[in-house]
Amino acid sequence: MAAMIASTGPSRRRMPGTVALLLILPSAFFVVVAQAEPILKIRTTEFTRFNEAVEFQSSTSYNARGMAPLYEITNHVIDLFVDEKPIPDGYITIEEGSIKVGPNVTDNNWGPLLKQYWAILLVAALCIIMIAIMPIMGLCLCCCRCFGGCGGRSQPFDKKHDTCRRAILGFLLICSSSALVFGVVVAFVTNSYMQHGVENITTSARHGVHDTRLYLQTTSSHIDHLLNRNYQELNNDLKQMLNDASDHIIKRLEEESKADKLTTLHEFVGKLPVIRQNLEKMKQLTSELRITASQLNDGLRGVKRELLTSLNKCGTPDCIKVMDDYKIGRLNVNGIDYNSLPDLSQIIESVKQLTDSSLGSAIEDGVNQMKQLKATLSQTVVENIPKVQDASNKTGIAIRDVSNMLTSRLNSVADTLGNNSYRHLDTADDYIEQYSIYRYYAGLGISSVLLLILICLVFGLLCGICGKRPDGYGDDCCNKGAGGRFLIFAVAIIFLTFSVILAVALASFLVGSLARRAACDSLRNPADDQIVDYLDQFIDLNRLYAELRGQAERSRTKLQVSERMEEIHIGEVIVACQQNESIYKVLKLHNFVDIRTINQFPEQYGIERALKLLQDSIQIKQVTILTQQATDDILALKQSKLNDFDVDKFTDNLTYNITEYNLNEIADKLRDVANRVAPEMNEIKVNLKNQALHLSSYQTNLVDPMIASTNELIKLSTTLDTSLKFGEQSFANAIDMFLKQIREAEDYINTNGKIFVQNITTELVTGFSNQVYAYINLVMDSTQNDIGLCGPMYTVYESVIVASCNRIVDPFNGFWAGVVWCLLLFLPSIIFGVKQSTLYQKSDPYPGPMVESEYLYDAYTERDNIPLASGPKNKRRKKQDRRRESRDRRDIYYEEGSPSHSRDPRYNDMAPKNWDGAPPRYQNPPMAPPAAEYERPPPYYYPGAPSEHE
């Protein structure tokens, strides 16, 4: 335990030092914080923000109206033929703004180019071959059919599987025709959309020009607002700060040193005559209250005596009630002793002595010392204000020159753009109105040809499927034969127009692919596009920037150029504009107008030198605020009779209720009682009314003036007490406090005043400089990040892409896609149509296997020997044929082929009634054996119908 105590002994001895350190550290911390706080509360300039509402007209909205999938497909098809890098290296070089052939061209090395575009060349070669051979194929088909081949002349009845062939070919034609509907609709719709896009391209361009001009004008207004209006706001605040500098310095010095108490004491001494007047007024009011109270007491005693006598004689309940309710026996001045109010004569005399003494002049000397100090500081500041303002004005003029230069250039570009663009757009409108209609009609003609072919195919299918067979006996207009003719007509139109339409489609494909890849894709992805790179090399913005940079260096503008030139490229400009960067960053204007050099303006135009001169010129000298005479006079003021003034003697002894009851109220009650007294007591009645009149007179002439005097006396005493004590317990304490603080203020000014004033001046100069640099930082930040945000220009750029690519190029590519789709479907449609038309021309159904095998002659050819049909090759085949033909099919055959579709029993002879030029048919007699067992007779000569001989 002893060891523990011994070990803790030194620790305990260190405890007081540790505690003291812990107590000192917080106070030291607060001192540091207090010193770190600014002495002056310099108001930061609040710059008005540029907020101009602008409505742009350009729009990127687009509605493909159902064609978006087609446009996507055509774009994918073009991507299959065109590479992302459309021109291989070595074929084009751009030097000094001119396009030259590359080394591959001079070396006649076309391998890489052919390798890249072999697919397009193959398609072009196939199309050219098709363009050449399609008319030849059509001519061959026409000649073949004219000589009876290729379905031009065939058997009049169906073969065994023709019904199946007819159904299959009809189904295939239906499929191809249905697919053709899509191509025809696409051709018509895209041709109309394309014409609409062409007609409205100049409207979009006008909107783009309008928005560009509006953007430039808004940017110019923003620059003017920032460099002119905001600087004027700063300059006005700086001038106000300089004008108030001396007042701020003196005010803060007085507040810090508490020298303002001298001013308060000087004001109090200056009010001593007023205090004397108030005291004399209070003395007068006190004397008047005493006299009036004595008069009121005498009068109330007489009234009380008369009322008690009359009321007792009256004896009625009303009289007794009045006497009890208003305590007539105690009617007096409510027990107030006005003689106890203090006499103010000695205090008034003391104030008079202070007023006549040198107290006022002694304190005024100290006040004059402070005024002289303030005047010296004011004079120093005033002498340096013009220098600072002159430097500030020079800086403002330089900034205004920069603003005028930039705004004039932007306005010039906007005016030039408007003056030149609208004229060319009007010319474009004239050309579009004059010539675009021909392209529209050409597309409409191609679409109409496709529609005509589709209509022929559709009518051919409708007649072929729904119509009857052609039999020559009053044929319907829409029988199968008419369907076959429609199909042949469609095939003929295809052969006649195929080459022309294919040539147009090939040219459209090449032009559309070129426009889409060279223009649309490049505009949509300009960052790493080869075409944009070639365009960038051709225009060479860096050469233009080098010229502008040289002009800026030679012109010695207010803003200098950057240390090194940063290259600019078109793709980077478009991407930066898409990210809504400012025009300063987008165009890299720092290459010839470096806004960061504005940071040198305060030093360049002497603001910092003027502020440093102001800071060095402000000094403070020793002052003597209170002389010994002034101190003695203040101590005499402390010991004066003013210290004996006690406001409680007035507030405690005075009251607003001079009498216990209002005398007018008692008088009114007495009159009421007198009116109800019996007539035989007329003397009492008169006496009561007389006393009521006395009470009313006392209330008006004595009580009311006493109340007013009491009110004024209490107010004067309370005000005087507040003026004398200054928030202290007594007047003496207040004077001691004033004297102490004024002495401390004098010591502070003479000891620390110089350092304090220098600190204030340094803070003032620093605040002034910070305001200037805050504005400069605002200019740099706004220029780099806020002025001329390029989002609206990218919207204009996108609207141009939409107007040209989405509304013209995409429908153009959709048009040739629809036409090519139709041409591809025409190839199988030709085959299906020719074959189906042959089947539709047959007038008779399938007659059976024996008739088919034995029908080896032609009724219109001159043959002498036609072999008879041979029987079945074997017995098994014969038995199967007999079972299959157990029912006589010739009845169905003849009934279907006849005009009436019924057999008249009167005409069951071997010859028909009217042949109409057709060969005779074999009739089945009524008693003839079944058709399966019928043996055809040998051929005979039929001379023809009688009408033919006539």
Side-chain angles (χ1 to χ4, degrees):
M1 181 66 69
M4 293 179 61
I5 294 175
S7 63
T8 58
S11 177
R12 289 183 178 179
R13 285 194 297 269
R14 288 195 298 267
M15 284 296 292
T18 304
V19 172
L21 181 62
L22 292 176
L23 294 175
I24 292 173
L25 284 177
S27 61
F29 173 76
F30 288 120
V31 169
V32 172
V33 172
Q35 292 178 353
E37 292 182 355
I39 301 175
L40 294 176
K41 304 296 183 181
I42 299 177
R43 184 177 65 88
T44 303
T45 302
E46 296 181 359
F47 299 104
T48 57
R49 306 294 296 179
F50 180 77
N51 187 17
E52 182 177 344
V54 179
E55 293 184 2
F56 294 100
Q57 297 178 355
S58 297
S59 174
T60 58
S61 61
Y62 170 67
N63 184 10
R65 291 178 287 184
M67 292 290 109
L70 174 67
Y71 298 157
E72 290 292 331
I73 293 173
T74 56
N75 290 333
H76 287 306
V77 170
I78 293 174
D79 290 336
L80 296 176
F81 290 97
V82 183
D83 194 8
E84 293 182 357
K85 192 174 183 181
I87 304 175
D89 296 333
Y91 289 93
I92 292 178
T93 58
I94 299 177
E95 297 178 359
E96 298 180 355
S98 60
I99 302 175
K100 299 180 180 179
V101 295
N104 286 344
V105 178
T106 55
D107 297 341
N108 203 21
N109 180 18
W110 303 101
L113 191 62
L114 295 176
K115 183 179 179 180
Q116 182 167 332
Y117 289 102
W118 66 269
I120 292 181
L121 294 176
L122 179 61
V123 170
L126 292 176
C127 290
I128 293 172
I129 293 173
M130 292 295 295
I131 291 171
I133 67 172
M134 283 301 289
I136 300 174
M137 292 176 61
L139 180 61
C140 293
L141 178 62
C142 181
C143 294
C144 180
R145 289 183 63 86
C146 287
F147 286 100
C150 303
R153 185 178 300 170
S154 62
Q155 297 174 358
F157 56 86
D158 288 341
K159 294 182 180 180
K160 182 177 181 180
H161 300 292
D162 282 353
T163 302
C164 182
R165 293 190 187 94
R166 191 182 297 109
I168 293 174
L169 291 174
F171 175 75
L172 295 175
L173 275 175
I174 290 174
C175 293
S176 63
S177 300
S178 301
L180 277 173
V181 172
F182 170 73
V184 173
V185 171
V186 166
F188 274 102
V189 171
T190 53
N191 184 61
S192 176
Y193 287 177
M194 182 167 45
Q195 181 64 19
H196 185 268
V198 171
E199 292 175 350
N200 289 277
I201 183 68
T202 54
T203 301
S204 299
R206 281 189 175 85
H207 289 169
V209 173
H210 171 270
D211 290 351
T212 303
R213 296 185 65 192
L214 183 59
Y215 167 77
L216 294 174
Q217 293 169 359
T218 304
T219 303
S220 176
S221 301
H222 196 171
I223 293 174
D224 181 73
H225 178 91
L226 178 66
L227 298 182
N228 280 339
R229 181 174 178 179
N230 287 156
Y231 187 79
Q232 289 301 321
E233 294 171 351
L234 171 69
N235 199 24
N236 293 334
D237 283 355
L238 294 181
K239 288 181 179 179
Q240 187 66 33
M241 185 188 303
L242 290 175
N243 294 329
D244 298 340
S246 59
D247 295 336
H248 284 305
I249 294 173
I250 293 297
K251 182 179 180 181
R252 290 296 295 122
L253 181 62
E254 289 179 349
E255 291 176 355
E256 187 67 22
S257 63
K258 296 181 176 56
D260 54 340
K261 299 299 181 182
L262 177 64
T263 303
T264 305
L265 183 59
H266 180 263
E267 292 175 353
F268 172 74
V269 172
K271 293 179 181 178
L272 285 177
V274 178
I275 293 175
R276 177 183 172 184
Q277 294 177 0
N278 291 337
L279 290 172
E280 290 177 349
K281 181 67 175 177
M282 293 175 63
K283 180 180 178 182
Q284 179 184 354
L285 292 175
T286 302
S287 177
E288 291 177 354
L289 282 174
R290 289 172 181 161
I291 295 172
T292 307
S294 177
Q295 295 175 353
L296 181 62
N297 274 326
D298 293 342
L300 290 178
R301 280 197 295 270
V303 171
K304 177 174 65 174
R305 183 176 59 252
E306 293 294 331
L307 286 176
L308 290 174
T309 302
S310 297
L311 292 174
N312 289 325
K313 288 181 180 180
C314 176
T316 62
D318 292 334
C319 294
I320 295 173
K321 187 176 186 326
V322 169
M323 188 170 55
D324 293 338
D325 290 343
Y326 292 100
K327 301 175 182 178
I328 301 300
R330 290 185 294 176
L331 186 63
N332 54 22
V333 192
N334 203 13
I336 300 175
D337 185 9
Y338 289 96
N339 293 323
S340 62
L341 293 177
D343 186 8
L344 301 176
S345 300
Q346 294 182 357
I347 299 177
I348 293 173
E349 183 63 26
S350 177
V351 172
K352 181 179 179 183
Q353 294 176 0
L354 290 174
T355 305
D356 297 336
S357 67
S358 61
L359 174 64
S361 59
I363 296 177
E364 188 174 359
D365 291 339
V367 173
N368 291 333
Q369 288 286 331
M370 294 300 299
K371 289 182 178 180
Q372 184 178 0
L373 177 63
K374 181 178 179 180
T376 303
L377 291 175
S378 299
Q379 183 66 26
T380 304
V381 173
V382 169
E383 290 176 355
N384 288 272
I385 283 178
K387 300 176 183 179
V388 180
Q389 288 183 348
D390 182 62
S392 177
N393 292 333
K394 290 181 179 179
T395 305
I397 292 173
I399 293 175
R400 186 169 61 251
D401 291 341
V402 173
S403 172
N404 294 336
M405 177 194 69
L406 296 177
T407 54
S408 63
R409 289 184 179 180
L410 291 175
N411 292 332
S412 176
V413 172
D415 295 338
T416 303
L417 179 65
N419 296 332
N420 295 331
S421 299
Y422 289 126
R423 183 176 67 253
H424 295 301
L425 288 175
D426 293 337
T427 304
D429 278 336
D430 295 337
Y431 281 109
I432 289 173
E433 183 179 1
Q434 186 175 359
Y435 296 108
S436 66
I437 194 66
Y438 298 114
R439 187 222 56 79
Y440 173 71
Y441 285 145
L444 187 62
I446 293 175
S447 303
S448 300
V449 170
L450 300 179
L451 178 61
L452 178 61
I453 294 172
L454 176 63
I455 290 174
C456 292
L457 292 176
V458 171
F459 281 162
L461 287 171
L462 289 175
C463 294
I465 294 173
C466 301
K468 298 183 295 184
R469 292 178 179 274
D471 55 4
Y473 302 104
D475 288 344
D476 296 332
C477 61
C478 293
N479 57 18
K480 294 182 183 298
R485 287 189 290 274
F486 272 118
L487 295 178
I488 289 298
F489 183 62
V491 172
I493 298 175
I494 291 173
F495 277 112
L496 290 174
T497 60
F498 190 90
S499 297
V500 177
I501 295 176
L502 182 57
V504 174
L506 177 60
S508 300
F509 167 71
L510 297 177
V511 173
S513 299
L514 178 64
R516 189 254 181 183
R517 179 61 191 89
C520 298
D521 289 351
S522 300
L523 293 175
R524 287 194 174 99
N525 302 299
D528 299 320
D529 187 78
Q530 185 187 40
I531 303 297
V532 175
D533 290 341
Y534 281 138
L535 182 63
D536 184 63
Q537 297 175 21
F538 181 77
I539 298 177
D540 197 4
L541 292 177
N542 294 304
R543 182 177 59 185
L544 176 62
Y545 270 43
E547 295 176 358
L548 294 175
R549 182 183 176 89
Q551 294 177 4
E553 291 176 347
R554 290 191 298 271
S555 62
R556 296 181 180 180
T557 57
K558 305 296 182 181
L559 294 179
Q560 303 174 6
V561 299
S562 59
E563 296 180 357
R564 62 181 185 86
M565 179 176 172
E566 186 177 354
E567 292 186 354
I568 184 171
H569 301 284
I570 295 177
E572 295 177 353
V573 170
I574 297 174
V575 172
C577 208
Q578 181 182 7
Q579 296 173 354
N580 200 24
E581 297 284 354
S582 66
I583 190 174
Y584 185 82
K585 288 185 177 179
V586 169
L587 299 180
K588 297 183 179 179
L589 298 180
H590 60 270
N591 285 326
F592 46 90
V593 180
D594 191 358
I595 195 63
R596 292 173 296 183
T597 58
I598 199 175
N599 201 25
Q600 303 172 3
F601 277 17
E603 182 178 358
Q604 182 178 353
Y605 294 98
I607 292 181
E608 293 185 352
R609 292 193 301 272
L611 291 176
K612 186 68 169 61
L613 182 61
L614 174 64
Q615 182 178 0
D616 295 338
S617 61
I618 294 179
Q619 301 291 336
I620 188 171
K621 298 179 180 180
Q622 296 287 329
V623 295
T624 301
I625 299 178
L626 290 180
T627 61
Q628 184 62 40
Q629 180 64 35
T631 303
D632 295 341
D633 291 339
I634 293 174
L635 291 176
L637 176 64
K638 169 188 173 183
Q639 297 172 359
S640 66
K641 292 297 182 178
L642 285 174
N643 197 39
D644 297 337
F645 180 80
D646 189 2
V647 67
D648 294 337
K649 291 183 179 180
F650 290 93
T651 57
D652 293 344
N653 294 321
L654 291 176
T655 179
Y656 296 109
N657 297 324
I658 305 298
T659 57
E660 186 173 359
Y661 297 99
N662 190 285
L663 298 183
N664 286 328
E665 182 181 354
I666 298 175
D668 293 338
K669 192 65 177 176
L670 290 175
R671 292 187 185 95
D672 181 59
V673 171
N675 292 330
R676 288 182 291 183
V677 172
E680 58 272 14
M681 295 185 292
N682 187 40
E683 182 180 356
I684 295 174
K685 179 177 180 180
V686 172
N687 191 21
L688 290 178
K689 289 186 177 181
N690 290 334
Q691 300 308 319
L693 182 61
H694 289 314
L695 290 177
S696 298
S697 176
Y698 292 159
Q699 180 68 37
T700 304
N701 298 324
L702 298 177
V703 175
D704 289 343
M706 289 180 68
I707 293 175
S709 298
T710 301
N711 186 20
E712 186 177 1
L713 186 60
I714 291 174
K715 184 177 180 181
L716 288 173
S717 63
T718 305
T719 304
L720 182 61
D721 183 71
T722 304
S723 301
L724 292 176
K725 293 183 179 180
F726 296 97
E728 298 294 329
Q729 294 294 329
S730 64
F731 177 71
N733 293 340
I735 297 300
D736 287 338
M737 182 266 297
F738 277 126
L739 190 60
K740 177 181 178 183
Q741 290 180 348
I742 292 172
R743 287 172 178 172
E744 290 177 352
E746 182 177 344
D747 294 339
Y748 184 87
I749 292 174
N750 294 329
T751 304
N752 302 321
K754 183 177 181 180
I755 298 175
F756 183 79
V757 169
Q758 289 178 350
N759 292 336
I760 295 178
T761 306
T762 301
E763 185 176 332
L764 177 67
V765 171
T766 303
F768 191 100
S769 180
N770 289 340
Q771 291 278 68
V772 173
Y773 281 103
Y775 169 74
I776 290 175
N777 292 331
L778 173 66
V779 171
M780 292 190 295
D781 180 70
S782 298
T783 303
Q784 295 177 355
N785 302 312
D786 193 25
I787 293 179
L789 296 179
C790 205
M793 285 296 93
Y794 188 76
T795 302
V796 173
Y797 176 82
E798 281 288 329
S799 68
V800 172
I801 295 176
V802 170
S804 57
C805 295
N806 294 98
R807 296 176 182 171
I808 297 178
V809 177
D810 283 350
F812 184 81
N813 289 330
F815 178 77
W816 65 253
V819 172
V820 169
W821 174 260
C822 293
L823 293 177
L824 292 176
L825 292 173
F826 284 165
L827 297 178
S829 297
I830 292 173
I831 300 173
F832 301 153
V834 171
K835 288 184 173 293
Q836 189 74 321
S837 67
T838 303
L839 295 176
Y840 283 162
Q841 294 297 331
K842 294 184 178 183
S843 59
D844 299 328
Y846 178 59
M850 295 185 64
V851 176
E852 180 184 6
S853 62
E854 293 177 1
Y855 192 85
L856 301 175
Y857 73 96
D858 189 348
Y860 296 95
T861 59
E862 296 179 357
R863 291 188 180 181
D864 295 335
N865 299 320
I866 298 177
L868 296 174
S870 61
K873 295 182 178 180
N874 51 54
K875 294 181 179 180
R876 182 177 300 174
R877 175 72 177 273
K878 185 174 183 180
K879 292 179 180 179
Q880 291 176 355
D881 292 342
R882 287 179 179 178
R883 286 196 299 268
R884 187 167 57 248
E885 301 295 337
S886 60
R887 181 174 60 87
D888 191 359
R889 299 174 57 90
R890 289 178 294 174
D891 297 340
I892 301 175
Y893 171 73
Y894 291 126
E895 290 174 0
E896 184 180 352
S898 63
S900 61
H901 298 285
S902 64
R903 177 178 293 182
D904 194 340
R906 297 177 298 173
Y907 300 100
N908 288 332
D909 56 349
M910 298 298 294
K913 182 177 179 182
N914 184 14
W915 303 109
D916 292 333
R921 297 178 179 176
Y922 294 104
Q923 303 294 326
N924 188 20
M927 302 303 294
E933 300 177 359
Y934 173 75
E935 296 292 336
R936 180 178 180 182
Y940 59 92
Y941 172 75
Y942 173 69
S947 61
E948 295 180 357
H949 296 285
E950 297 177 359

